């Protein structure tokens, strides 16, 4: 066996202090922070490593997320390859308006660094010198949520196994199983499903703009983003249930062209499309984020529509608070931090929910939208362009300081 095979199949103990279900950004970062704080933990991830590392998702990191990644030891490549952005552009009525982050927020910026790269960096660190991380370990259920020793049941390599824990943290995303361990009636979920989806593509072409462009058009929303100086990431609002294979490359570029159209000579550059996928949009919050010895973090506890670029940042914020609380328990025996976890995180979560809802409903065109609704959206966008106060509210929320 080579070194890589050995490190991918570590010896997993039968018991631990913190059992982490899910090896996405939330689970991996939590494991890293706990390891640094001297708290024993194990991460169980249902997918294989390559799948987790290649899943195309977020691209925008708030400064606070970058800071915690740096502190966790995962900042080296991010500092080298991450692209710092000083603003975004909003587009409507065939014109653009720039939101200047430093000017409106007292110097704040955001970073463009793909979630795939964050995940790769965290996995590499963890396999080199971290807590045990097991891929292809499908958690089937968590039992004993009402006892002092909850048990995580999982299958790996065809065998059924258990992990006894002092605490279990569900970092297992929106479709996870940890939430189900909490008895009916103990949790409340608040939810909104949107009547449209995002069609995301990756294209081998330099981004046509230095900064992200969020476009409102009568044909629907579009977003121009990037993964590097040579790879573009673009999104189109499409009806729910759209088949991504039903569009030709040319149809995709034509539609993007139509939605980003502005007066003047700006042009969208086209290139080979290397990936395509459709994702539905949803807002959801589960309260509280803790029951007994079970905790929920990241998408397992809350979902935002991607328009505000908040999901990954909320996941990082949750696990930062949680790792600090476990560290406090470990060092001093005090559970004050754990007791405050849900309340502390939910105030940030609800702010991000409101902002993501605002961005989504201001920029998308609902199927039943009437001209009155559209005039309200345009009025809102005009107000952002005219008023430094309105622009600052957007900027503070986007960079994360209003949260
Ligand atoms: P996930 O990334 O969903 O990870 C959960 C993990 O748990 C997965 O690896 C899964 O395989 C594993 N798992 C699930 N069930 C089990 C089980 N039973 N047993 C073991 N393991 C299990 N956010 C931003 O901040 N900025 C953006 O720009 C942005 N853009 C986005 C664009 C798109 C297209 C999408 C889809 C999302 C975007 N987001 C963005 C949101 C962001 O990607 C998520 O919020 C983030 O992935 C949440 O991380 P997580 O670790 O909580 O959950
Ligand atoms: C990206 C995704 C978002 O949801 C967003 O608001 C900005 C950028 C991206 O994937 O690059």
């Amino acid at each position: 066996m080579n070194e890589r095979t050995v490190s991918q199949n570590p010896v997993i103990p039968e018991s631990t202090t913190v059992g982490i279900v899910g090896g996405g950004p939330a689970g991996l970062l939590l494991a890293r922070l706990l390891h640094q704080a001297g708290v024993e933990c194990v991460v169980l991830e249902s997918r294989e490593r390559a799948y987790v590392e290649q899943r195309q998702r977020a691209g925008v990191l708030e400064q606070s997320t970058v800071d915690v990644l740096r502190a966790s030891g995962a900042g080296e490549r991010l500092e080298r390859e991450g692209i710092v952005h000083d603003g975004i552009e909003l587009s409507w009525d065939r014109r653009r308006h720039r939101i200047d982050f430093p000017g409106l927020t007292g110097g704040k910026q955001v970073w463009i660094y793909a979630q795939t790269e964050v995940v790769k960096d965290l996995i590499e660190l963890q396999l080199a010198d971290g807590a045990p991380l097991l891929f292809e370990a499908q958690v089937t259920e968590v039992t004993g949520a009402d006892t002092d020793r909850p048990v995580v049941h999982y299958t790996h390599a065809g065998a059924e196994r258990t992990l006894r824990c002092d605490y279990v943290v569900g970092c297992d995303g929106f479709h996870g199983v940890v939430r189900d361990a909490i008895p009916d009636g103990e949790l409340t979920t608040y939810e909104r499903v949107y009547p449209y989806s995002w069609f995301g593509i990756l294209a081998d072409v330099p981004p046509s703009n230095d900064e992200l462009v969020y476009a409102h058009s009568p044909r629907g929303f579009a977003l121009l983003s990037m993964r590097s100086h040579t790879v573009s990431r673009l999104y189109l609002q499409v009806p729910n249930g759209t088949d991504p294979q039903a569009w030709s490359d040319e149809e995709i570029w034509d539609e993007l062209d139509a939605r980003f159209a502005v007066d003047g000579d700006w042009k969208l550059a086209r290139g080979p499309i290397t990936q395509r996928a459709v994702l539905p949009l949803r807002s959801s919050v589960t309260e509280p984020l803790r029951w007994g010895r079970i905790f929920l973090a990241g998408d397992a506890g809350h979902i935002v529509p991607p328009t505000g670029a908040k999901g990954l940042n909320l996941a990082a914020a949750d696990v930062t608070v949680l790792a600090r609380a476990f560290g406090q328990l470990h060092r001093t025996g005090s559970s004050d931090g754990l007791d405050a976890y849900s309340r502390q995180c939910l105030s940030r979560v609800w702010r991000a929910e409101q902002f993501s809802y605002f961005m989504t409903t201001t920029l998308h065109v609902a199927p039943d939208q009437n001209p009155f609704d559209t005039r309200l959206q345009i009025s809102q966008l005009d107000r952002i362009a005219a008023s430094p106060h309105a622009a600052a509210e957007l900027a503070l929320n986007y960079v994360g300081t209003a949260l």
Side-chain angles (χ1 to χ4, degrees):
M1 256 193 278
N2 64 32
E3 206 181 347
R4 192 179 160 101
T5 316
V6 172
S7 65
Q8 278 186 326
N9 287 297
V11 176
I12 301 296
E14 289 182 0
S15 68
T16 190
T17 306
V18 181
I20 300 173
V21 182
L28 292 167
L29 180 58
L30 177 61
R32 189 70 207 149
L33 298 173
L34 291 181
H35 184 67
Q36 287 179 320
V39 179
E40 202 182 84
C41 64
V42 169
V43 184
L44 300 172
E45 164 58 47
S46 58
R47 302 291 194 145
E48 61 182 31
R49 179 178 176 178
Y51 181 91
V52 175
E53 288 185 341
Q54 279 155 29
R55 198 165 31 195
Q56 246 337 298
R57 285 187 160 186
V60 180
L61 305 183
E62 294 172 10
Q63 187 62 51
S64 59
T65 303
V66 171
D67 292 344
V68 68
L69 286 168
R70 274 186 184 138
S72 80
E76 197 188 302
R77 197 161 64 95
L78 165 57
E79 301 220 10
R80 231 179 26 246
E81 295 178 18
I83 308 171
V84 174
H85 276 200
D86 279 343
I88 55 171
E89 294 195 49
L90 300 175
S91 167
W92 73 101
D93 264 357
R94 301 185 63 85
R95 61 201 162 93
R96 296 248 189 95
H97 177 78
R98 180 164 187 268
I99 306 291
D100 167 29
F101 292 153
L104 292 162
T105 66
K108 303 290 179 209
Q109 302 166 308
V110 295
W111 290 63
I112 304 300
Y113 190 67
Q115 180 168 329
T116 46
E117 307 315 297
V118 171
V119 164
K120 280 180 205 159
D121 295 345
L122 287 168
I123 289 176
E124 196 174 308
L125 270 180
Q126 187 157 347
L127 293 180
D129 111 41
L133 160 63
L134 190 64
F135 292 102
E136 298 175 72
Q138 173 82 37
V139 172
T140 49
E141 63 171 340
V142 177
T143 55
D146 54 350
T147 70
D148 282 352
R149 240 10 211 156
V151 181
V152 177
H153 301 256
Y154 67 102
T155 55
H156 179 68
E160 291 188 7
R161 301 204 200 162
T162 55
L163 177 68
R164 277 178 296 117
C165 310
D166 292 342
Y167 299 91
V168 176
V169 184
C171 294
D172 48 350
F174 182 65
H175 300 289
V177 298
V178 174
R179 212 176 16 215
D180 299 341
I182 299 171
D184 283 350
E186 297 292 339
L187 297 180
T188 306
T189 297
Y190 302 89
E191 192 164 56
R192 168 178 285 271
V193 178
Y194 297 84
Y196 33 73
S197 298
W198 275 20
F199 186 174
I201 62 157
L202 211 55
D204 280 337
V205 59
S208 298
N209 201 55
D210 289 341
E211 296 179 331
L212 272 58
V213 183
Y214 288 80
H216 175 285
S217 96
R219 306 173 70 93
F221 169 75
L223 170 61
L224 185 161
S225 181
M226 60 202 71
R227 288 291 172 265
S228 67
H229 294 296
T230 54
V231 176
S232 295
R233 176 78 169 151
L234 295 128
Y235 298 97
L236 282 171
Q237 173 192 342
V238 291
N240 287 337
T242 296
D243 171 9
Q245 305 310 329
W247 293 50
S248 69
D249 285 15
E250 204 185 351
E251 283 171 326
I252 294 172
W253 287 115
D254 286 349
E255 191 58 37
L256 286 164
D257 254 342
R259 295 192 194 183
F260 286 118
V262 278
D263 293 334
D265 55 9
W266 182 84
K267 216 170 152 25
L268 182 67
R270 300 184 176 200
I273 294 175
T274 55
Q275 272 190 42
R276 48 170 75 195
V278 169
L279 60 126
L281 268 56
R282 180 188 295 272
S283 299
S284 162
V285 181
T286 296
E287 291 188 349
L289 295 170
R290 175 210 185 162
W291 191 79
R293 288 171 175 264
I294 312 289
F295 292 79
L296 302 174
D299 280 14
H302 39 79
I303 297 283
V304 283
T307 328
K310 288 288 159 222
L312 173 58
N313 293 296
L314 284 178
D318 283 358
V319 300
T320 304
V321 173
L322 196 50
R324 227 178 270 142
F326 278 123
Q328 179 190 45
L329 180 73
H330 179 67
R331 275 192 330 276
T332 69
S334 164
S335 63
D336 288 355
L338 290 180
D339 295 340
Y341 167 72
S342 179
R343 189 173 23 85
Q344 200 176 334
C345 289
L346 283 170
S347 65
R348 169 188 291 266
V349 165
W350 276 111
R351 177 92 302 276
E353 290 287 349
Q354 194 281 331
F355 176 63
S356 305
Y357 173 85
F358 163 78
M359 288 289 279
T360 303
T361 53
T362 300
L363 292 167
H364 290 68
V365 178
D368 63 350
Q369 185 154 317
N370 67 32
F372 180 86
D373 302 326
T374 305
R375 292 299 302 141
L376 287 183
Q377 290 177 321
I378 300 297
S379 163
Q380 178 64 56
L381 291 163
D382 287 344
R383 161 96 182 136
I384 290 167
S387 156
H389 295 289
E393 176 66 8
L394 192 158
L396 288 165
N397 278 286
Y398 197 95
V399 302
T401 46
L403 302 180

